[in-house]
């Protein structure tokens, strides 16, 4: 008597979305390298250590909004422009689809 295997197709789940801090770090590194600057030069102008900037660029640290603004200024851009660039980078990633419904924003009371 022949036995039949119960074959279940593998579910292909979409890859997880990248964390915002990872895409931010990549964008900061790109801006810094486009200006041909070292970690030490950019970090000095932003008022942080080169080691901390390195961790931010690698997506290991979640910098405060003040720190992001300082880094944006050190790289000759603004927080608004930097945020728009990171958002654009996220939209262009393969497998990332824009939201199909309305987005609800809430403020903590």
């Amino acid at each position: 008597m022949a036995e039949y295997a119960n074959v279940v197709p593998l579910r292909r789940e979409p890859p997880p979305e990248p964390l915002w801090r990872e895409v931010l770090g990549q964008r900061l590194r790109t801006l810094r390298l486009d200006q041909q600057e070292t970690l030490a030069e950019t970090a000095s102008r932003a008022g942080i250590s080169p080691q901390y900037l390195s961790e931010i660029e690698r997506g290991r640290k979640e910098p405060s909004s003040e720190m992001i603004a300082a880094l944006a200024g050190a790289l000759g851009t603004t927080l608004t422009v930097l945020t728009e660039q990171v958002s654009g980078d996220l939209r262009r990633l393969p497998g990332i689809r824009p939201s199909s419904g309305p987005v609800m924003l809430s403020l903590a009371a």
Side-chain angles (χ1 to χ4, degrees):
M1 174 182 269
E3 291 187 31
Y4 295 95
N6 185 10
V7 178
V8 178
L10 295 175
R11 282 181 37 192
R12 294 201 185 260
E13 303 214 6
E17 287 189 53
L19 296 174
W20 193 84
R21 71 174 185 238
E22 294 169 344
V23 180
L24 170 67
Q26 292 168 1
R27 171 53 58 178
L28 290 170
R29 178 173 284 165
T30 298
L31 289 171
R32 180 177 61 78
L33 293 176
D34 285 350
Q35 296 177 23
Q36 299 179 358
E37 288 194 350
T38 65
L39 282 166
E41 291 168 333
T42 302
S44 175
R45 279 199 315 282
I48 62 174
S49 72
Q51 295 83 1
Y52 186 59
L53 176 55
S54 175
E55 290 186 89
I56 292 170
E57 287 185 355
R58 289 181 286 135
R60 305 267 172 113
K61 295 290 182 182
E62 185 82 54
S64 68
S65 59
E66 292 87 0
M67 186 60 55
I68 298 169
L71 285 165
L75 291 166
T77 190
T78 65
L79 183 58
T80 302
V81 170
L82 178 61
T83 302
E84 289 170 349
Q85 290 173 338
V86 172
S87 295
D89 293 344
L90 281 167
R91 278 190 222 94
R92 286 186 292 279
L93 289 173
I96 304 298
R97 293 176 294 161
S99 174
S100 58
V103 177
M104 180 184 294
L105 300 177
S106 64
L107 298 174

